[in-house]
Amino acid sequence: MKSSERARIITGILREEYPDRKPLLDYRNPYELLIAVILSAQTTDAGVNKVTPPLFSNYPSPRDLSEALQVEVEEIIHSTGFFRVKAANIIKTARILADQYAGQVPGSMKELVALPGVGRKTANVILNHIFDEPAIIVDTHFIRVSNRLGFTDKKDPEQIERQLKAEIPEDIQSEFSMTVNLHGRKYCHPRKPECGSCPIKDYCPSVLL
Ligand code: SF4
């Protein structure tokens, strides 16, 4: 079976398994999503969701955040880890949004990855959720599950993104990314995947029964 066909079947099954596929990060506008995704590096979405309400209450716009004192931002986001680097990055990014993009979030990969703290994963989340573009969003869950499913044997996020962009049909790329990610959280755990009850076990070359 071709990769594209298998991806379509797997996405169809996982679509039923995960009908509620909203992003796990809370946000009310593109600015808030961008900052939340930057903060989500090396921590959990739930952890980010705890700090973003006070952060955006104090700094509701990119201009507000761009003028913030770093030490005050650090205090709010402290629990997300790497708080000094993250605080510096979100203030600098907010300044660029305010000064160069009239407070808006830009809509191209090139512009997004030029922002401090923004890598391809963050950029793809923005392109997909805000600009409705097809995207392969690669995080640790996606790397693990896409390898086990045999869609790639690579570990480098950018290589996986490019490979799967070429293999997975555009119309299901976003759904495939999001459902595979959710599947990694629910069944396909790093140490003990729950293959026995996995709904896509018939299509997985790594099934352990
Ligand atoms: S069968 Fe096992 S290894 Fe394959 S996707 Fe399901 S949980 Fe992961």
Side-chain angles (χ1 to χ4, degrees), residues 54-185:
L55 181 69
F56 297 132
S57 161
N58 284 348
Y59 312 109
S61 72
R63 177 61 71 200
D64 296 320
L65 184 56
S66 75
E67 292 169 352
L69 285 178
Q70 183 167 330
V71 67
E72 291 179 1
V73 174
E74 287 177 3
E75 198 171 313
I76 297 172
I77 66 164
H78 190 276
S79 60
T80 66
F82 303 97
F83 61 94
R84 289 209 175 87
V85 175
K86 286 181 182 176
N89 280 340
I90 62 175
I91 291 171
K92 282 188 218 151
T93 284
R95 191 167 303 137
I96 294 171
L97 298 189
D99 292 348
Q100 296 181 22
Y101 297 105
Q104 304 300 305
V105 172
S108 74
M109 175 63 80
K110 189 174 168 202
E111 292 168 310
L112 285 165
V113 295
L115 299 170
V118 176
R120 292 187 69 87
K121 186 204 121 186
T122 301
N124 274 314
V125 170
I126 298 297
L127 291 173
N128 181 231
H129 293 306
I130 304 300
F131 296 100
D132 217 15
E133 287 188 21
I136 295 291
I137 300 167
V138 182
D139 69 355
T140 52
H141 298 293
F142 190 89
I143 292 172
R144 179 176 72 257
V145 183
S146 59
N147 267 267
R148 285 180 179 165
L149 286 170
F151 286 106
T152 183
D153 59 3
K154 302 186 190 317
K155 297 288 188 280
D156 175 70
E158 191 167 337
Q159 285 185 338
I160 294 175
E161 182 198 326
R162 291 189 195 288
Q163 182 181 2
L164 268 64
K165 266 248 171 264
E167 284 179 14
I168 309 291
E170 269 205 350
D171 63 305
I172 59 164
Q173 283 182 4
S174 307
E175 241 183 337
F176 179 82
S177 295
M178 202 173 274
T179 56
V180 165
N181 176 293
L182 291 169
H183 198 60
R185 295 169 192 260

